[in-house]
Amino acid sequence: VWFGRSADESGLFSIPIAAGTYQVFIHSNDPLYQAPPVGAVTIAAGATKDLGILTLIKATKTITGTVTFADGSPVTDAYINAWRPDAGGNANAEVTSSGTYTLSVTGGYWEVNVQPKSSTAGWNYNQQSQSVLFSSDTTAETKTVNFTVTKTDAAIKGKVVKPDGTAPARDSVFIDLCSGTDRSCFGTSVDSSG
């Protein structure tokens, strides 16, 4: 379960929660900065845990690449997403009209994946995400991650409804397909008609 809040214009935040242990992930929408890893925080009933000042880290590492079809032609309707599974942090980009992309990240281990911008894109990427490892310092580094996607030529369809027969709210239910023994998954959300 994910929940949280944005920092206000002065950088302050406060999130009301029940007592327990939580993994804290900070995400910056500014592509020039990444959030520092925070990790797990345990809080007792009635307590307030002050995380102190969390200084954003200048993104000095670059992930760049292309997204193409098997014939080498560029894919022009894709999102690229990179995330740090070990420490939180993410970066996102759209491909250009020539199928290229650039992400600014910090040092450490990153997973990178591609997905269509819409459910009618006519292609999918049914492979596992690709891994990138940068040195954990502020030295500029660039790594290349290219993707080759598959044109779609078939479909699986259906309709999801709640017990009363009505469709769930748009984008509240997701359908994923996994292929092969490596459990590579991709999918789409349900529209407002189910």
Side-chain angles (χ1 to χ4, degrees):
V1 176
W2 291 87
F3 58 94
R5 293 245 165 97
S6 296
D8 69 16
E9 63 279 353
S10 64
L12 296 173
F13 66 92
S14 179
I15 304 170
I17 56 173
T21 299
Y22 298 89
Q23 288 290 329
V24 179
F25 297 101
I26 302 171
H27 303 281
S28 172
N29 288 330
D30 185 334
L32 299 178
Y33 297 96
Q34 290 289 319
V38 177
V41 173
T42 300
I43 188 163
T48 298
K49 175 71 174 173
D50 187 346
L51 298 179
I53 296 175
L54 303 164
T55 304
L56 295 175
I57 303 166
K58 179 99 170 114
T60 59
K61 314 297 183 182
T62 303
I63 303 171
T64 188
T66 59
V67 182
T68 60
F69 292 105
D71 65 5
S73 62
V75 173
T76 59
D77 60 345
Y79 291 120
I80 303 294
N81 183 36
W83 66 96
R84 289 190 62 185
D86 60 340
N90 67 320
N92 303 290
E94 291 185 35
V95 296
T96 66
S97 60
S98 59
T100 62
Y101 72 91
T102 301
L103 297 170
S104 297
V105 298
T106 57
Y109 174 75
W110 290 84
E111 291 284 330
V112 187
N113 211 336
V114 61
Q115 64 186 32
K117 287 172 66 174
S118 76
S119 60
T120 59
W123 64 269
N124 64 40
Y125 182 71
N126 59 359
Q127 305 297 314
Q128 290 185 325
S129 58
Q130 296 188 46
S131 303
V132 176
L133 180 62
F134 289 106
S135 59
S136 295
D137 58 25
T138 58
T139 305
E141 285 182 82
T142 300
K143 304 272 178 136
T144 301
V145 177
N146 296 321
F147 295 94
T148 302
V149 303
T150 305
K151 290 185 180 183
T152 54
D153 60 3
I156 295 174
K157 70 180 216 171
K159 183 173 184 173
V160 176
V161 296
K162 295 188 276 186
D164 66 3
T166 61
R170 180 179 187 88
D171 296 330
S172 67
V173 175
F174 296 86
I175 310 302
D176 289 322
L177 304 175
C178 299
S179 65
T181 57
D182 63 359
R183 305 264 313 148
S184 299
C185 298
F186 56 95
T188 190
S189 61
V190 173
D191 68 18
S192 59
S193 66

